[in-house]
Amino acid sequence: MSTSTAVPEVPIRTLVRQDATLRRLLTVTLVDTVGRGAFFTLTSLYLTTIVGIPAVAVGLGLTVAGAVGVLSSLGFGHLADRWSARRMLVWLHLVQGLALIGYVLVHDLASLVVTASIVTLAQQGGSSVRSAAIGRAFPGGERVRVRATMRTVTNIGIAAGTALAAIPLAVGTGAAYRVTMVAAGVLFVASAFMLLGLSRARVDVPAAERTETGSIVQPVRDGRSPYRDVRFLGVTALTGVFGIQFGLFEVAVPLWVVGHTVAPDVLVSPLLLVNTAVVIALQVRMSRGTGTIAGAGRSMVHAGWLMAVACGLWAAAGWVTGDDWLPAAIAGAVLVVAALVHSLAEITSSAAGWSLSFEMAPADRVGAYQGVYGTGYAVGAMVAPAVVTLTAIDLGTVGWAVLAAMFLASALGTAAIARRAVRASA
């Protein structure tokens, strides 16, 4: 478990101006997510309507790719402790960019599985390597603020990419889809060249071995394996369960609004925009105070209760009945409040999870620990569509209550582990 000496907190805007490594990481994040937002908005529609692959087969192919991503997160996290994180990021971006371009050659389920698996391998592996690089490049609580800033930029990029995807959607031709998808792949290739400019001394050398001005020199621990760190495995599992809330918003909420409430179907898009706007506006601000294990534990408690309230509000929107404008307006208002509360739970839990993943890891094994932590979220993302549809959509109010209890229990369990970790280090 890392320890840190308190240092004055530099405002994030000042840090961005002063730190070339951070500016480059943020630039790459923006370029990547513009491409990702455009690409993944089009993927399913392209495969089903243009290529002609059945929707069930597309879902199967992407599920197999998701399983590859779980293994990739683990493997590349370990490799990040042994090889150059900078070089790995460069190559993974190249592979992902070329694989995204390769989607235009997909013609059946087999080629979809191969292509999607390569994309997911590079994406999830790159996520673990990037987290390891951040853990080395920035000290203490600064790492959480950096992750929060990157999350904000991510949402801006995805929103911009999604807006760009409206062009091929409006045109509706296979050529328009393919041109946009190739452009998205080219953006990832461009990012690979940008990553060549990262400082090797910052991202490849553990923080424990650096003595830069303003950095925190951390003692190198015993190199313990994350697989034997029971507390860390507990945090990984519980935050992975809580991470199912991402699938809840992306999968269950649209189905719930359209099929189980009297609110207008068009409200689905504004609800997703509310989530994006809240993350952009508040992620950095609400990450304050989560830079320690104790602070992260407290934030997870808040996130758990917020998520339980959000589930109650989502369910309550389905209780409103009637055929005229007033019930529709009431249900719509409840849904907007639910989206706001859900978004607050999302950003609070994300900041807490980032802090725990960094602060509970020994400095010399940050890559392996980030790989294991990322695996928890990867598994959560893989099972989320099935979990949220089998509960919220199939069971209605009872299902929402089950989800509320699950999220609250996982958050409180994470906070309990954090408290034990603080006592153990005292």
Side-chain angles (χ1 to χ4, degrees):
M1 188 184 306
S2 63
T3 59
S4 58
T5 304
V7 294
E9 186 175 275
V10 178
I12 192 65
R13 291 183 180 178
T14 302
L15 188 62
V16 171
R17 287 196 301 269
Q18 295 177 346
D19 196 318
T21 296
L22 177 55
R23 287 198 304 274
R24 190 169 292 270
L25 286 171
L26 292 176
T27 301
V28 168
T29 298
L30 181 61
V31 172
D32 285 355
T33 51
V34 169
R36 189 191 313 167
F39 187 90
F40 288 107
T41 300
L42 302 176
T43 305
S44 295
L45 287 172
Y46 173 76
L47 293 171
T48 55
T49 63
I50 304 300
V51 180
I53 301 175
V56 173
V58 170
L60 174 62
L62 296 180
T63 299
V64 173
V68 172
V70 172
L71 298 175
S72 175
S73 178
L74 273 178
F76 279 96
H78 284 278
L79 292 175
D81 289 330
R82 294 168 173 78
W83 295 351
S84 164
R86 172 180 161 274
R87 291 180 182 174
M88 289 173 67
L89 283 173
V90 169
W91 281 107
L92 287 169
H93 269 73
L94 281 173
V95 169
Q96 187 170 355
L98 294 174
L100 290 175
I101 294 171
Y103 257 88
V104 301
L105 303 176
V106 169
H107 59 279
D108 57 14
L109 178 58
S111 57
L112 170 61
V113 169
V114 172
T115 306
S117 295
I118 294 173
V119 169
T120 308
L121 180 146
Q123 180 178 321
Q124 291 297 116
S127 178
S128 292
V129 176
R130 184 178 64 249
S131 294
I134 293 170
R136 292 173 183 143
F138 303 96
E142 206 170 86
R143 297 175 294 200
V144 176
R145 293 194 299 141
V146 167
R147 285 294 300 265
T149 305
M150 292 179 73
R151 176 80 179 283
T152 300
V153 171
T154 293
N155 277 266
I156 294 172
I158 288 177
T162 302
L164 289 174
I167 298 174
L169 288 173
V171 175
T173 64
Y177 276 81
R178 285 187 283 270
V179 167
T180 307
M181 294 164 72
V182 169
V186 169
L187 287 177
F188 275 84
V189 173
S191 291
F193 289 98
M194 295 182 206
L195 288 165
L196 286 170
L198 284 177
S199 167
R200 296 178 183 177
R202 292 284 296 278
V203 302
D204 286 345
V205 180
E209 299 176 13
R210 289 191 284 106
T211 56
E212 298 176 37
T213 302
S215 68
I216 298 173
V217 179
Q218 299 174 334
V220 177
R221 302 286 173 168
D222 58 4
R224 66 183 178 273
S225 167
Y227 304 110
R228 297 181 180 180
D229 191 330
V230 176
R231 288 196 184 98
F232 190 82
L233 291 176
V235 165
T236 295
L238 291 172
T239 54
V241 170
F242 199 94
I244 291 174
Q245 58 86 15
F246 288 105
L248 181 65
F249 212 126
E250 295 169 2
V251 178
V253 167
L255 295 174
W256 182 253
V257 172
V258 172
H260 299 270
T261 77
V262 296
D265 295 355
V266 72
L267 189 60
V268 170
S269 182
L271 290 176
L272 295 174
L273 290 175
V274 165
N275 177 255
T276 300
V278 170
V279 173
I280 292 172
L282 298 178
Q283 181 68 78
V284 174
R285 183 176 302 177
M286 292 192 68
S287 296
R288 294 170 184 167
T290 62
T292 64
I293 293 176
R298 289 190 295 269
S299 292
M300 277 304 301
V301 173
H302 299 155
W305 285 110
L306 285 168
M307 198 62 233
V309 171
C311 287
L313 289 168
W314 290 125
W319 304 341
V320 182
T321 59
D323 296 329
D324 58 13
W325 67 269
L326 183 58
I330 293 173
V334 174
L335 288 169
V336 170
V337 175
L340 288 169
V341 176
H342 189 144
S343 299
L344 293 175
E346 175 186 325
I347 59 181
T348 306
S349 64
S350 294
W354 297 329
S355 180
L356 292 171
S357 72
F358 286 127
E359 294 299 315
M360 295 182 71
D364 60 333
R365 297 302 305 278
V366 65
Y369 272 69
Q370 289 301 310
V372 170
Y373 183 77
T375 300
Y377 269 98
V379 172
M382 186 172 66
V383 304
V387 171
V388 298
T389 53
L390 289 172
T391 51
I393 304 305
D394 288 356
L395 300 179
T397 297
V398 173
W400 285 108
V402 170
L403 288 173
M406 179 186 76
F407 290 129
L408 182 58
S410 63
L412 296 179
T414 302
I417 294 174
R419 287 193 295 272
R420 292 193 187 98
V422 171
R423 287 197 296 268
S425 63

